[in-house]
Structure formats: structure tokens, C-alpha cells
Amino acid sequence: MWNRFFSTLSLTSRIPLKVRFSFDPSRIDFYLPLIGIFPALLGALVFFLGGPGFITVILVLLVQYLGFNLFHLDGLADTADAFLGNFDQEKRLAILKDSRMGVYGFFACFFLLTLKIYLLYRLCVWIPRFPAAILAYPFSGRLSAALIPGISKPLKPDGLGALAKNARPWRGVTGALIGLSLWAVLVYGGLKVYGFFNGSGVQAPPLSALSLFGLPLLSPLISWALARQYQKHLGGYSGDTLGAAVELGELLHLGGALGLLTILDI
């Protein structure tokens, strides 16, 4: 279990691990969504230390990307370079192998980061009331990536994408559910402790707000769309597909949260 956990963490994090383990990524589909708890906790810690505001939003994304998401952002850039242009299969494959970023990749990354900043800033007014649901976007992104190997086939017999070739969708969903449960307990427990020391209470969210916890259900939309494009044009998914899925899954979660909260008007 620990070998699989640390193997997945080492693949998806830039934080050096000072533990010994045998590399075994055979359950990346289960542990990838579960590992979302680390960037989520990191973002929540920065947010509550800094307080709602534009600078805090920038810092939240900065620590999350430096610790976890830069690798995934690179996958989004490669995907944009390969698919936004009118290229044939051979050219798309060459672009995915090229380490340089093209104009499509730059545009996609700039646009995505701008949208993330905007959405998080708009959500600042709601995050102190519903932190567990809104700040759970790292789970949604990683669930989007974990589902792809279960509904498609790898582009190559080797490489990062092939590490998850025996994935099953139910394992990704299970990992996400366990991670989200732990996350909710940690957030609620932390707020209870905080309320005990400063004399404030933690109010339960209204029943309508509980629908926010359904935001990870949007993840399969990203999984299906990316898997379909890669399967249609290249014959299978790659590691870049998974990285793009993380980024787009997170963005969809934040957009869904803003839309839902605006509709609920709570």
C-alpha cells in the first residue's frame, strides 16, 4: 500500500520524499484522487492565514503549482499545442514529444490561470463559509485524470500514460470518495478547534449548500472529452492527457462552484 501511495505522490509532486519505497505505480488510478488532499490542504492553509483577497488567491495558486501542478500545467500546454492547430497525426505526436511550448500552449496556460485567479477571487466571499466544498477542486482535477485510463487505452506501451494502463474507473471514484471524506473531516475539525480557541462556533451549511459536494461529479465530462480527442486523433491517451485533465477538472470545479452559489444565492 505505502509503495503505491508514495510512488503516485512522487510522480505528481515536486516535493522531495525523504522515505524509502519500492516504485509501484500500479494503483495510480486509486491514489491520484486521494493525493488531492495535499494541494487542497496547502491551499486552505494559505487562504486562511492570508484572509480573503486578491494577493491571497495568487499565493494559494503559487504554492499549489510550485508543489504539485506545474507538471500538470505542462500537460495542458502540450495538449493545446497538439490539438488547437490543424495538424496531422504525425505532427501532433512530434509536438507532444517536443519540450518547447508553442503559442497555443502559452495561450491555454495564460487563459486557464487567469480564469482560476478570477474564479477563486469571486469565490472569496463564500470560501470562509463553505471551505471544504469550494477548496476541494484538487480532488476533482485528479479524479478527471484518474478516470481516463479506465475508459481509454495508452498511446504507447511505455511512458507515464502506460503506468496506469490497468486502471479501473471504480478505483478512481473510490479514491476520490475516501480523500474527500478525510478532507471534510480535517476541515471541519480544524474549524471546530479554531472556534473553540477564539470563542466562535462552526455553523453547519444549509442543505442547499450540500449540493456543492457534488461538484466532483463534473469530472467525467473532462475525462470523456480529452480521452475522446486523444483516441480519435492519436489512438490513445498519454501522460499529457492526464496533466491536462487535472487542470481542466480543477477549473470546471471552480466554475461550477461559482455558478451554483450564484444560483442558490446563499
Side-chain angles (χ1 to χ4, degrees):
M1 180 183 72
W2 290 113
N3 286 334
R4 291 169 172 172
F5 172 78
F6 285 121
S7 295
T8 305
L9 184 59
S10 68
L11 282 172
T12 58
S13 168
R14 298 181 67 250
I15 299 175
L17 300 178
K18 304 297 184 180
V19 294
R20 290 185 177 182
F21 63 94
S22 298
F23 187 69
D24 179 8
S26 59
R27 287 294 177 268
I28 192 173
D29 52 343
F30 173 80
Y31 288 106
L32 183 57
L34 185 62
I35 282 171
I37 196 169
F38 295 113
L41 282 172
L42 197 59
L45 180 63
V46 173
F47 182 86
F48 283 101
L49 286 177
F54 182 76
I55 299 300
T56 300
V57 166
I58 298 296
L59 291 175
V60 167
L61 292 178
L62 181 65
V63 298
Q64 287 180 332
Y65 273 88
L66 288 177
F68 295 90
N69 277 49
L70 282 179
F71 181 63
H72 306 311
L73 191 65
D74 180 68
L76 175 69
D78 288 344
T79 298
D81 280 331
F83 287 94
L84 291 183
N86 187 22
F87 307 122
D88 58 23
Q89 181 176 355
E90 185 177 349
K91 179 63 175 177
R92 294 184 201 275
L93 289 171
I95 290 173
L96 291 177
K97 294 177 182 178
D98 194 339
S99 60
R100 295 171 296 180
M101 179 186 292
V103 63
Y104 294 116
F106 175 81
F107 173 80
C109 292
F110 177 81
F111 193 64
L112 177 130
L113 291 173
T114 301
L115 274 178
K116 271 191 172 181
I117 293 170
Y118 169 76
L119 290 171
L120 274 173
Y121 181 69
R122 286 287 309 276
L123 287 165
C124 275
V125 67
W126 284 293
I127 291 177
R129 297 169 60 193
F130 314 115
I134 297 175
L135 295 179
Y137 57 91
F139 292 98
S140 292
R142 284 152 183 81
L143 177 58
S144 295
L147 292 175
I148 289 176
I151 61 176
S152 185
K153 62 181 182 180
L155 176 61
K156 299 183 297 183
D158 54 359
L160 179 58
L163 294 177
K165 62 183 178 181
N166 295 318
R168 297 291 182 271
W170 67 266
R171 284 200 288 258
V173 173
T174 302
L177 288 174
I178 294 175
L180 284 167
S181 300
L182 291 173
W183 162 248
V185 170
L186 286 172
V187 172
Y188 183 74
L191 290 175
K192 288 288 286 185
V193 172
Y194 175 78
F196 175 80
F197 284 105
N198 75 354
S200 63
V202 178
Q203 297 180 348
L207 291 177
S208 58
L210 295 179
S211 58
L212 288 168
F213 282 100
L215 289 171
L217 295 176
L218 298 173
S219 297
L221 297 176
I222 299 296
S223 308
W224 175 82
L226 283 173
R228 183 176 182 275
Q229 286 300 309
Y230 268 82
Q231 188 70 41
K232 177 181 178 181
H233 295 287
L234 298 178
Y237 72 90
S238 69
D240 289 320
T241 323
L242 306 186
V246 172
E247 291 298 316
L248 294 175
E250 290 187 354
L251 185 66
L252 186 60
H253 179 111
L254 292 172
L258 180 60
L260 189 57
L261 285 166
T262 301
I263 293 171
L264 294 175
D265 192 26
I266 53 178

